[in-house]
Amino acid sequence: MKNTAILLCGVPLLLASACTSSFSKVRGALNDAPEWYEARRTEIRGEGYPAIADIPTVDANWKPGERLAASGEEIAVIQAAFAADARAQAPAAGAAEIAAVVAEIQGAFEPGLPPGEFFTETEIAAIRASFNVPRVTEGVISQ
């Protein structure tokens, strides 16, 4: 009975002291939080966003088609300037000029790879013979 009473009194005291220290740690962490933390916390809560009643209304004199015509004229001017630029013109020889550039670049490197050092037919036959074990291949050859 005495041991049970000690446990019943001691455990809540230990939990209370643990909670007190954890609350002070959390409070310290909140005070030492980085600059962006408060903005993120506000965003998560959903605060700072405009209310639906605050949505601006469209001006009655606004006509969507007006700006489209002006932007079409701007695009035509930009396309004409691009077409007039010498760098936009395709080369007359086209593919021949590209092939010449490729040949020039390839000529800067050493010619090709060295010849391969592959096995000769006799070396291949020797390797195959080394794997020819009669007790293993006997059944395969007869079939």
Side-chain angles (χ1 to χ4, degrees):
M1 179 84 172
K2 184 177 178 183
N3 291 339
T4 306
I6 292 173
L7 283 174
L8 289 176
C9 293
V11 170
L13 288 175
L14 287 172
L15 289 174
S17 64
C19 289
T20 304
S21 66
S22 66
F23 285 137
S24 63
K25 288 179 185 177
V26 168
R27 193 173 302 116
L30 288 175
N31 292 338
D32 298 336
E35 302 166 2
W36 55 264
Y37 179 76
E38 190 60 38
R40 178 75 174 129
R41 198 166 146 194
T42 304
E43 181 182 335
I44 289 172
R45 286 183 188 156
E47 299 171 355
Y49 294 108
I52 292 179
D54 297 339
I55 295 176
T57 57
V58 177
D59 184 16
N61 297 328
W62 178 65
K63 295 179 180 134
E66 287 177 1
R67 185 67 190 127
L68 291 175
S71 65
E73 293 169 4
E74 291 171 1
I75 289 172
V77 169
I78 292 170
Q79 285 178 337
F82 176 77
D85 192 350
R87 293 180 297 167
Q89 304 303 321
E97 283 187 25
I98 294 171
V101 170
V102 168
E104 179 185 337
I105 292 172
Q106 285 179 343
F109 293 99
E110 292 195 19
L113 295 173
E117 297 178 11
F118 298 110
F119 291 123
T120 63
E121 292 298 324
T122 56
E123 291 172 332
I124 293 172
I127 292 172
R128 284 187 179 155
S130 68
F131 285 101
N132 188 12
V133 180
R135 61 189 160 98
V136 175
T137 59
E138 190 174 87
V140 176
I141 293 173
S142 64
Q143 293 175 2

